[in-house]
Amino acid sequence: MYPGSCRDPISVPLPCAMPVHPSLAEPHCPRVLQSSKALGHGYLFLPGVAGVLVGHPFDTVKVRLQVQNTEKPQYRGTLHCFQSIVKQESVLGLYKGLGSPLMGLTFINALVFGVQGNTLRALGQDSPLNQFLAGAAAGAIQCVICCPMELAKTRLQLQDVGPARTYKGSLDCLVQIYRHEGLRGINRGMVSTLLRETPSFGVYFLTYDVLTRGMGCEPDDRLLVPKLLLAGGTSGITSWLSTYPMDVVKSRLQADGLQGAPRYRGILDCMRQSYQAEGWRVFTRGLASTLLRAFPVNAATFATVTVVLTYTRGEEAVQLDSEAVPGTSATPAGPALAQPSSL
């Protein structure tokens, strides 16, 4: 969301954290725990970068469609928006604002990875409700970074090209906003981001947990990777569908005043004006490009992280067991699958 937004994944939310089985999350040997955490962050970062690179063009299209002027619409739909951006601004136009999500990726990974796992452990019992609550807590906390990051990304995606551009990059955008509007300007859209990310991340982790358990994902399953791809992609789509209308509101609030005088006084006023001008369909603007991005990006990220961490941690555990008993050799029975239940 991740998800890009993180969720995107992504945000994205873009998928920034990978839950794993309790037996791997809290090993008896401290060296395994420390090594696993270090590996986790490293392997979460690399798929996260790939996800941002693949998904950013779709996000640019989404934002353009969400905030375009309804009286004089510039784009007729997702495909026309893609074609227009490439024609007018080259392929690089699809990657406007890329630096912002890349810059915040490491911090968001660390927050989501830690908060989701610690919350699940604090709740004590691994249940669907606790999976949702742990994910929601992670989504809420990461808004501190996600909101300014998406503000800069949105402003850069919408600004004119060439000498007329207002911002030179993500940092320059945030600096200029701070100079003119202070901290309040940097956190523009924070409440709408919070209302989007909190339930979205809860749905995100819960859906993945339910699907992987329901499909019986096991390490020796020949269809393990396809199952993980399906679970990850479906989780991304479900999380976006659960809060997409709020994402439209968030984008409009963060883009408000960029070209002309501000129009909205807040979330409810934005929803009211948008509905009166365009009807309920306004809250689905850009949904097609979002879903086109959500499935492949989240599928690849979840599957990659799960498989890599599962077998890496399994090999580490076997190696450390062999070291613990001199003169003996451990016969690995195969690493346990890193199923989403606890960090």
Side-chain angles (χ1 to χ4, degrees):
M1 95 64 22
Y2 69 10
S5 153
C6 181
R7 230 150 43 168
D8 186 50
I10 184 238
S11 167
V12 150
L14 292 170
C16 316
M18 186 65 253
V20 298
H21 195 273
S23 62
L24 297 180
E26 297 189 22
H28 298 292
C29 177
R31 285 190 295 165
V32 176
L33 178 61
Q34 293 167 3
S35 178
S36 295
K37 285 186 175 180
L39 284 167
H41 284 85
Y43 285 121
L44 289 169
F45 177 76
L46 294 177
V49 170
V52 170
L53 293 175
V54 172
H56 195 79
F58 294 95
D59 186 72
T60 300
V61 171
K62 175 193 72 119
V63 172
R64 296 280 184 99
L65 292 173
Q66 286 177 335
V67 304
Q68 73 172 338
N69 190 329
T70 55
E71 298 176 359
K72 297 179 180 179
Q74 188 176 358
Y75 311 110
R76 295 190 299 270
T78 301
L79 182 59
H80 181 246
C81 185
F82 260 110
Q83 293 172 336
S84 299
I85 294 174
V86 173
K87 183 177 180 180
Q88 298 169 12
E89 307 172 38
S90 78
V91 176
L92 295 178
L94 295 170
Y95 286 92
K96 276 186 173 181
L98 178 64
S100 182
L102 287 179
M103 185 171 58
L105 184 63
T106 302
F107 302 105
I108 289 180
N109 279 352
L111 275 177
V112 174
F113 189 90
V115 172
Q116 198 271 351
N118 288 324
T119 302
L120 199 54
R121 279 194 290 270
L123 292 172
Q125 182 182 2
D126 178 21
S127 66
L129 176 60
N130 288 347
Q131 282 284 348
F132 177 85
L133 293 176
I141 294 297
Q142 60 94 41
C143 287
V144 177
I145 297 173
C146 177
C147 181
M149 182 190 79
E150 292 204 0
L151 174 64
K153 175 183 65 67
T154 300
R155 295 291 181 94
L156 289 168
Q157 287 172 328
L158 296 174
Q159 75 170 347
D160 296 327
V161 295
R165 65 178 185 172
T166 307
Y167 311 113
K168 292 179 287 188
S170 301
L171 286 176
D172 180 61
C173 178
L174 292 175
V175 168
Q176 288 197 44
I177 294 174
Y178 178 76
R179 286 175 178 172
H180 291 94
E181 305 175 51
L183 284 175
R184 185 173 183 179
I186 291 291
N187 292 298
R188 179 191 290 254
M190 177 62 79
V191 176
S192 57
T193 302
L194 190 66
L195 291 175
R196 182 195 69 176
E197 296 291 86
T198 302
S200 177
F201 267 75
V203 171
Y204 191 52
F205 281 99
L206 173 61
T207 303
Y208 188 77
D209 179 70
V210 170
L211 289 176
T212 51
R213 293 180 187 278
M215 291 188 293
C217 296
E218 299 294 340
D220 56 353
D221 190 344
R222 291 187 302 106
L223 299 176
L224 174 61
V225 173
K227 287 180 179 179
L228 293 177
L229 289 172
L230 177 61
T234 305
S235 300
I237 287 179
T238 305
S239 66
W240 270 110
L241 288 174
S242 67
T243 58
Y244 191 78
M246 187 53 63
D247 182 69
V248 175
V249 174
K250 192 265 320 172
S251 294
R252 291 193 163 207
L253 289 173
Q254 291 187 327
D256 193 29
L258 184 61
Q259 298 174 342
R263 296 177 53 192
Y264 310 118
R265 296 190 299 272
I267 294 175
L268 293 178
D269 184 56
C270 178
M271 295 175 69
R272 180 182 60 80
Q273 288 194 45
S274 299
Y275 178 77
Q276 288 177 349
E278 306 170 58
W280 64 268
R281 290 184 181 276
V282 67
F283 300 111
T284 64
R285 281 265 200 98
L287 181 60
S289 63
T290 300
L291 298 184
L292 284 173
R293 174 190 63 172
F295 190 93
V297 169
N298 289 281
T301 304
F302 262 119
T304 301
V305 172
T306 302
V307 171
V308 170
L309 290 183
T310 294
Y311 286 98
T312 302
R313 286 167 172 167
E315 291 171 2
E316 283 186 331
V318 170
Q319 181 180 359
L320 287 167
D321 286 342
S322 299
E323 294 175 356
V325 185
T328 64
S329 59
T331 303
L337 176 67
Q339 277 197 353
S341 57
S342 172
L343 287 173

